[in-house]
């Protein structure tokens, strides 16, 4: 998978389902050493077994991205196993949609904690290592919700706009040695909509998500961004269903 004939070491947050899982499988198939983090370790254990059975290299560790110490731990774990961190994919995310007047303030907090602070803790964990290595790539999952806003998604979109802003700021600061990439999917098959507790928002999403593309479509765009030569930064890719209005 690499341009320099070495196997890249890739940490993936939220690898227990959806886009993270599909990306883990695809990158491992293409020669990466993947380190997988999420809270559901039973899922990660099964995934790692699958990847090993397929001849790939994978490890996993329990990870809650809202805990800065756990993001630091998975990074140290990766260093202890493989000696470096070439790519961090900040993929973990939640999307409990509802209109603001429902005042689901705890869900707002959760989206901010996972979708923004989780990404920042990931950056904090790997940036010193990548600076010392004088190489690395940080890939942040935003969304079409990072480009447009729609009712029920004000807070979710705010978190994804934030991912875009902090990624661009990071890119400008670290350019030279470290690549920064934003991947913005449109509606994609995954478990993302399962976290919606508001019945109206859930119904609307069920309809919208009928045109979803497979998670492998997003995984392929991530593989593409990683396998470019080191002096080429794929700064952003939007991947969405052809039929998507947004
Ligand atoms: P899934 O719900 O299938 O996957 C989300 C992953 O995030 C799970 O593996 C979950 O694992 C993990 N996660 C959630 N909270 C935490 C946490 N606190 N700590 C660690 N891991 C956590 O959804 P997707 O695959 O769709 O989501 C991946 C990313 O893609 C998200 O950032 C999402 O916003 C983005 N996206 C998805 C779109 C879609 O339509 N699918 C569209 C646009 C963007 P666990 O519960 O085991 O911890």
């Amino acid at each position: 998978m690499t341009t320099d004939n070495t196997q890249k070491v890739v940490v993936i947050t939220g690898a227990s389902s959806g886009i993270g899982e599909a990306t883990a499988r695809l990158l491992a198939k293409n020669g990466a050493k993947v380190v997988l983090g999420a809270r559901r370790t039973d899922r990660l254990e099964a995934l790692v077994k699958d990847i090993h059975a397929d001849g790939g290299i994978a490890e996993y560790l329990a990870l809650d991205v809202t805990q800065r110490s756990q993001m630091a731990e998975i990074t140290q774990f990766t260093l202890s196993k493989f000696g470096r961190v070439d790519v961090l994919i900040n993929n973990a995310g939640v999307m409990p949609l509802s209109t603001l007047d429902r005042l689901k303030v705890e869900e707002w907090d959760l989206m901010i904690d996972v979708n923004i602070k989780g990404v920042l803790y990931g950056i904090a964990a790997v940036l010193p290592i990548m600076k010392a290595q004088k190489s690395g790539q940080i890939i942040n999952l935003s969304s079409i919700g990072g480009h447009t806003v729609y009712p029920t998604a004000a807070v979710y979109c705010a978190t994804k706009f934030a991912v875009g802003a902090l990624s661009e700021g990071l890119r400008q600061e670290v350019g030279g040695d470290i690549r920064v990439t934003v991947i913005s999917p449109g509606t994609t098959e995954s478990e993302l909509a399962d976290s919606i507790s508001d019945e109206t928002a859930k119904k609307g999403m069920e309809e919208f998500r009928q045109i979803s593309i497979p998670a492998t479509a997003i995984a392929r765009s991530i593989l593409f961004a990683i396998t470019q030569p080191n002096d080429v930064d794929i700064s952003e890719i939007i991947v969405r269903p052809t039929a998507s209005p947004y």
Side-chain angles (χ1 to χ4, degrees):
M1 73 173 297
T2 58
T3 54
D4 59 1
N5 296 323
T6 57
Q7 294 174 312
K8 288 201 170 167
V9 177
V10 183
V11 179
I12 306 174
T13 73
S16 58
S17 62
I19 292 167
E21 178 185 341
T23 302
R25 290 184 192 278
L26 185 67
L27 297 187
K29 208 180 244 320
N30 282 271
K33 298 168 183 166
V34 294
V35 177
L36 312 179
R39 293 163 305 170
R40 290 171 294 175
T41 48
D42 52 334
R43 298 270 197 110
L44 295 180
E45 189 182 0
L47 177 56
V48 162
K49 268 192 194 146
D50 267 10
I51 290 173
H52 288 169
D54 219 21
I57 300 173
E59 300 279 350
Y60 76 91
L61 194 70
L63 171 68
D64 180 344
V65 298
T66 68
Q67 304 302 312
R68 184 181 171 193
S69 59
Q70 294 189 22
M71 211 48 241
E73 267 167 39
I74 197 168
T75 306
Q76 289 309 315
F77 173 77
T78 304
L79 285 177
S80 73
K81 294 284 176 192
F82 300 120
R84 52 189 295 115
V85 181
D86 294 307
V87 184
L88 168 65
I89 305 176
N90 278 315
N91 166 75
V94 290
M95 189 187 69
L97 302 178
S98 61
T99 51
L100 290 168
D101 61 6
R102 299 300 308 276
L103 301 185
K104 288 184 177 274
V105 178
E106 285 175 9
E107 293 184 349
W108 303 351
D109 285 340
L110 181 68
M111 283 187 273
I112 290 164
D113 286 348
V114 177
N115 300 0
I116 302 178
K117 289 170 80 175
V119 170
L120 284 169
Y121 293 157
I123 292 168
V126 301
L127 198 51
I129 295 160
M130 290 180 177
K131 284 193 108 164
Q133 289 173 174
K134 294 196 184 310
S135 74
Q137 183 172 18
I138 297 172
I139 300 179
N140 295 328
L141 267 288
S142 177
S143 170
I144 48 166
H147 292 269
T148 189
V149 182
Y150 47 97
T152 72
V155 179
Y156 179 74
C157 293
T159 66
K160 292 305 187 179
F161 271 74
V163 169
L166 61 91
S167 301
E168 176 58 11
L170 178 66
R171 188 192 71 75
Q172 291 176 17
E173 287 178 15
V174 301
D177 294 329
I178 300 169
R179 302 189 291 172
V180 181
T181 300
V182 177
I183 304 289
S184 291
T187 186
T188 302
E189 288 165 9
S190 77
E191 299 175 11
L192 193 66
D194 295 357
S195 65
I196 304 174
S197 66
D198 180 80
E199 282 310 317
T200 313
K202 203 179 189 68
K203 205 156 172 281
M205 261 297 124
E206 271 163 16
E207 272 165 40
F208 177 61
R209 288 178 74 78
Q210 282 176 10
I211 57 167
S212 293
I213 50 177
T216 47
I218 313 304
R220 287 197 302 273
S221 71
I222 293 172
L223 176 65
F224 173 76
I226 293 174
T227 51
Q228 297 308 299
N230 283 341
D231 62 346
V232 176
D233 180 55
I234 302 296
S235 303
E236 179 161 14
I237 305 177
I238 301 178
V239 189
R240 60 182 147 208
T242 308
S244 181
Y246 303 106

